[in-house]
Amino acid sequence: MATTTLQEHQTVARRTTLSRRSFLGSTVGTGLIAAVGGGPLLSHFAVASQPGRRAAGVGKWVASTCQGCTSWCPVQVRVVEGRAVSVRGNPNSKANHGCICPRPHLALQQLYDPDRIKTPMKRTNPKKGRGEDPGFVPISWDEAIGMLADKMMELRAKEETHKFAYFRGRYSYMRDIIYSAVPKIFGSPNGISHSAICAEAEKFGAYYTEGYWDYRDYDLENTRYVLCWGADPLASNRQVPHAISVWGKVRDQATIAVIDPRLSATAAKADEWLPVLPGEDGALAVAMAHVILVEGLWSREFVGDFTDGVNRFVAGQTVDEEAFQENMTHGLVKWWNLELKDKTPEWAEQQCAVPADQIRRVAIGFAKAAPRAISWLSPGASMQARGGYAAMATHALNGLVGSTDHLGGVVQKTKVPADTVPDFAEYQDEIAKKRSKEHKIDQRGTLGFPALKSGKSGGGVVTNNAADGILNEDPYDIQVAVANWANFAFSCSGADRWQRALSKIPFFVHITTHASETSQFADVVLPAAHQMFEKWSFLKNKQNLYGYSSLTERVVEPMWDVRQDETEIPWMLAEALAERGFDNLLRYFKEQFADPETGKAPTNSEEFALYAVKQFTRACWDASHPDYGKYGDKLNGWAEFVEKGVWNSHRFEPGKIRGHFKTVTGKFEFYSETLKQALSAHAEKHGVSVDEVLEATNYTARGELAYVPHAETALRWGDASEYPLIFFEHRSRLNREGRSANCTWYQAHKNADPGDENWDDVLKMNPVDAERLGLKDREMVRVSSPTGSITVRLKLWEGVRPGTVAKCYGQGHWAYGRVAALDFQKHLPRGGNNNELLPAEYERLSGSTARHGGVTRVKVERA
């Protein structure tokens, strides 16, 4: 097998030296054309590239991966004379058809954004707070890393290493180097992920019905019905390129129904739009289940039947459990008796504001199309204060009609082989072993925060609550913290709490590409390599029933003095700690990581970054790995992996998981013995009853109802008499994980999101409500909730249900750059940040932030 050196990798696309000034001068024309006219940007959306097709003009296509959302699509970047000039889908990928959505194109503007952090900086103003000028001055990498190492060694000297915290935002699968190995070898339990502000409640629904804690995949090419619960597959919620590519076929062969209080891009192309009252998705789901059973439309093959074949599911009537014989499910009759028998469409109409006849029509259509039917759960229907059971109810519909693990239905995923960090136990000294077992700062596993990931009390993360842990010094104070690719001072609800918490931390380091809101509270800011163009790593995911492992590569040489966040910076920190007498981390890196091709140990940060990604991905390209070729492609060595950029799995074959679900019973559970076991263990841990756990987590269910999918009345902040409108937010098809606002292309094409306006931030209100309140289109309004207020422009739009107001997330930055902010120097935002309205509320069983479901009411007044 041919070997490749670090120097050879650095010349995959030979660069030319180019100054920042000359580059910006050479690209300003095309940038303005794209920003104003839209052609150069929009013409590339979801267009497949033919394998082997040469780029127009000179240059070379180099593989990488987009991390604009959690699809992590394989892409290719066209490099001309050392510059990245365009992006397309990777034609070698079977998952996304060689297509991409708008997000990867915006990454080009991020890469060459003049507002990027160009060199390490340190704070000179000791006073911290919003509006305070940090007084940043440039410093060297040695000084910056040395400052962090000094503060960490102070904790070691006091044997208080647990008072160090690492906050992880978006990541690659190099993550566990900085997220796990660094804090654990140093001696801290505090690797805190962003996950709970993203979608953990969504995973809750699938786990406590079929034992699968992860995102699902969907067989869109063979489906006959798609029921979207807040999901907007054409714009957001993962798998967007695949959905865009096949949606015409889906529309031809299937019925599409969208449950969303907003007329989303997908709803605009749907057969049915059900503008549900935010937070009442659970009521709608159980009413649909009621209809399916009463009409006798459940799957006999998957679920089972009455022993005499006579349907005894009659509204209001209890059923004898012995009269029904189940096949691959557990607890259907219990579910009926405890919850479903009285949940008629007429009842649901009063709860969720969807007409009873539409509920009945959609439920029957969905069931008749089954098993080639999809009930597509999204964060919108689950990340609610009482959304755990709504997540179970919406996913349970897949079990009821037999569409789970079935052709044209909802499936799990095929295996993508990968290695992770080697065991580091022998590198932990006594301080590390003791202190890494301390309770975490986010308070997971406490009575009110079960965070029941995969059935374990405290198994999940409660990201947003870490701010309160820091403020209250509960269970202890945080002295030193590092955050990477995370902007919690902007992106977490109750954002002011994070601003106060970060101000409280004595020494805080932010690793970032841009000086975001969180950077304003940092003592040291470290410039990060852009993940898509300047970094070696890999991602793994699934779309279109294919799993894949996709490389990010150093496509171009960085223009500025940046480092790779998850690999280079940990190595540099390890070197600095070793110089100060703690060499455990550096020894671990040198002894446990090596180039799989040569066996050579790393001697510097760049070698470490490359060797680590090669080591983690060996199963995809190294024939000596035990998993090589077992699950998919047999790539002929590392060089071929670099050239193709992606490893594809075998296509997932539905049907193999049926009867082998990883639940307590091994079956699809309508009565969740798995949840019963988890709740009981959490209750026993705290010496209370399950009912007391439910009370502590803001749920109303008691007794046996706790173990079945059921409807819970939405929890909302604010009294209706003072705050008459329900506020809810949605995502933009242009948001690169919320990091697009400093791109002119984002601002110039914002109306790609239905109801939004270019270069503006609008609150969308139904004209019926505006007339009642005496408000007019296009005027500036003040939007106030019980926890905060923002000022934005009002947009009258019939695409939002009466009684609610909607606003897209992403605008309102006061410190992300000259485009994102209205006035960066004065900390004036362009529009408003939704998280200044949203309270710090949670779906506590999973640990998720409750940012959906109309968690707060608002009042809207003329500004």
Side-chain angles (χ1 to χ4, degrees), residues 130 487 489-491 495 499 516-517 735 738 741-742 746-747 750 760-762 789-792 807-817 819-823 827-836:
R130 181 167 177 173
N487 189 16
F490 179 86
S491 62
Q499 294 167 20
S516 68
E517 286 75 15
N735 265 353
N742 208 50
Y746 171 85
Q747 302 289 351
K750 194 65 184 66
D760 210 343
D761 190 23
V762 299
S789 63
I790 59 175
T791 299
V792 293
K807 185 176 169 298
C808 189
Y809 169 77
Q811 299 277 41
H813 282 285
W814 50 270
Y816 205 72
V819 177
L822 192 63
D823 190 322
H827 300 105
L828 296 178
R830 183 184 298 279
N833 180 8
N834 296 355
N835 288 314
E836 295 181 20

Side-chain angles (χ1 to χ4, degrees), residues 134-358:
F136 285 131
V137 296
I139 57 175
S140 69
W141 273 98
D142 284 345
E143 182 179 356
I145 296 295
M147 291 174 66
L148 174 58
D150 286 340
K151 294 298 181 181
M152 293 176 69
M153 289 304 292
E154 289 176 14
L155 293 181
R156 284 220 128 239
K158 295 184 288 186
E159 298 189 7
E160 293 182 341
T161 53
H162 60 296
K163 295 184 178 181
F164 168 81
Y166 169 73
F167 296 104
R168 178 181 80 181
R170 178 52 59 214
Y171 54 82
S172 77
Y173 275 86
M174 310 309 294
R175 61 190 183 183
D176 285 335
I177 293 173
I178 191 171
Y179 177 67
S180 183
V182 169
K184 293 292 180 60
I185 292 174
F186 178 71
S188 174
N190 288 309
I192 307 297
S193 175
H194 80 288
S195 304
I197 66 171
C198 187
E200 293 304 274
E202 178 184 342
K203 301 171 186 175
F204 185 93
Y207 184 81
Y208 288 107
T209 50
E210 64 173 80
Y212 181 66
W213 189 280
D214 204 342
Y215 304 121
R216 281 77 50 216
D217 202 351
Y218 308 93
D219 188 5
L220 291 174
E221 291 192 355
N222 294 297
T223 196
R224 296 294 180 266
Y225 207 109
V226 182
L227 183 61
C228 293
W229 295 88
D232 190 5
L234 298 183
S236 64
N237 195 45
R238 292 172 288 282
Q239 304 199 7
V240 177
H242 170 50
I244 292 174
S245 299
V246 303
W247 211 251
K249 185 175 189 292
V250 174
R251 280 177 52 83
D252 288 343
Q253 71 189 22
T255 299
I256 302 169
V258 175
I259 299 157
D260 198 318
R262 175 183 69 104
L263 187 67
S264 64
T266 305
K269 295 181 176 295
D271 299 284
E272 299 266 7
W273 175 38
L274 295 78
V276 67
L277 194 66
E280 298 294 346
D281 305 80
L284 181 57
V286 296
M288 287 186 178
H290 173 99
V291 171
I292 291 169
L293 291 176
V294 169
E295 297 293 330
L297 296 174
W298 72 88
S299 170
R300 267 70 173 176
E301 179 265 335
F302 184 71
V303 178
D305 201 357
F306 288 97
T307 54
D308 61 2
V310 178
N311 185 7
R312 288 178 171 77
F313 292 125
V314 179
Q317 295 185 16
T318 300
V319 173
D320 180 3
E321 292 183 37
E322 297 299 321
F324 196 96
Q325 181 65 48
E326 290 189 76
N327 290 338
M328 300 181 213
T329 65
H330 173 77
L332 176 65
V333 176
K334 274 191 173 73
W335 187 26
W336 170 265
N337 290 337
L338 288 167
E339 171 68 2
L340 299 183
K341 64 182 176 63
D342 299 318
K343 298 304 187 290
T344 65
E346 288 71 25
W347 167 85
E349 180 176 353
Q350 301 304 310
Q351 304 296 314
C352 68
V354 176
D357 60 344
Q358 189 177 30

Side-chain angles (χ1 to χ4, degrees), residues 536-795:
W536 283 103
S537 71
F538 80 106
L539 288 305
K540 57 179 184 175
N541 213 328
K542 70 272 187 182
Q543 293 183 66
N544 189 28
L545 277 64
Y546 286 99
Y548 53 92
S549 180
S550 183
L551 287 174
T552 70
E553 304 185 24
R554 180 154 278 191
V555 173
V556 296
E557 281 300 307
M559 293 178 64
W560 296 299
D561 194 14
V562 302
R563 297 293 187 275
Q564 299 174 65
D565 47 8
E566 296 169 314
T567 49
E568 283 195 275
I569 291 176
W571 175 277
M572 297 168 71
L573 176 60
E575 288 184 319
L577 290 172
E579 291 171 357
R580 289 156 176 78
F582 181 72
D583 68 349
N584 300 44
L585 188 59
L586 186 60
R587 285 192 292 109
Y588 171 70
F589 289 159
K590 287 185 174 182
E591 296 168 4
Q592 296 299 322
F593 290 82
D595 185 337
E597 293 183 292
T598 66
K600 179 185 175 184
T603 60
N604 57 54
S605 63
E606 289 184 274
E607 289 181 346
F608 178 64
L610 180 61
Y611 297 173
V613 71
K614 292 174 72 174
Q615 183 167 313
F616 287 3
T617 61
R618 275 186 57 220
C620 296
W621 58 268
D622 185 349
S624 68
H625 193 283
D627 285 337
Y628 176 77
K630 187 183 297 184
Y631 304 103
D633 290 345
K634 293 183 177 181
L635 298 175
N636 186 26
W638 171 251
E640 185 177 13
F641 194 17
V642 171
E643 178 65 26
K644 289 188 173 180
V646 61
W647 172 95
N648 299 288
S649 75
H650 301 305
R651 200 162 199 266
F652 185 89
E653 296 180 8
K656 295 181 178 180
I657 296 171
R658 291 183 159 217
H660 305 283
F661 295 107
K662 293 182 179 180
T663 57
V664 168
T665 63
K667 297 185 175 185
F668 191 102
E669 295 181 346
F670 298 121
Y671 179 91
S672 183
E673 301 287 356
T674 306
L675 181 55
K676 185 175 185 177
Q677 184 180 86
L679 284 173
S680 298
H682 184 73
E684 183 177 350
K685 172 182 173 181
H686 293 284
V688 298
S689 67
V690 170
D691 281 355
E692 288 173 298
V693 171
L694 293 170
E695 182 177 6
T697 55
N698 291 327
Y699 279 100
T700 63
R702 299 293 182 267
E704 292 281 278
L705 192 60
Y707 312 128
V708 298
H710 65 269
E712 292 262 349
T713 302
L715 185 154
R716 308 195 200 282
W717 286 49
D719 186 87
S721 61
E722 183 177 359
Y723 302 97
L725 298 167
I726 298 171
F727 176 86
F728 70 94
E729 67 169 18
H730 62 92
R731 294 293 181 265
S732 170
R733 70 197 318 167
L734 304 180
N735 265 353
R736 288 184 51 79
E737 292 281 9
R739 298 175 177 87
S740 302
N742 208 50
C743 300
T744 55
W745 287 345
Y746 171 85
Q747 302 289 351
H749 294 286
K750 194 65 184 66
N751 65 2
D753 297 312
D756 279 6
E757 299 287 340
N758 296 339
W759 291 97
D760 210 343
D761 190 23
V762 299
L763 180 78
K764 295 176 281 289
M765 177 185 289
N766 193 286
V768 172
D769 293 317
E771 183 177 2
R772 175 171 55 85
L773 296 172
L775 298 173
K776 296 181 179 179
D777 189 35
R778 308 294 299 170
E779 66 179 334
M780 300 301 294
V781 293
R782 184 176 180 84
V783 188
S784 303
S785 75
T787 59
S789 63
I790 59 175
T791 299
V792 293
R793 192 176 306 281
L794 184 66
K795 171 73 177 289

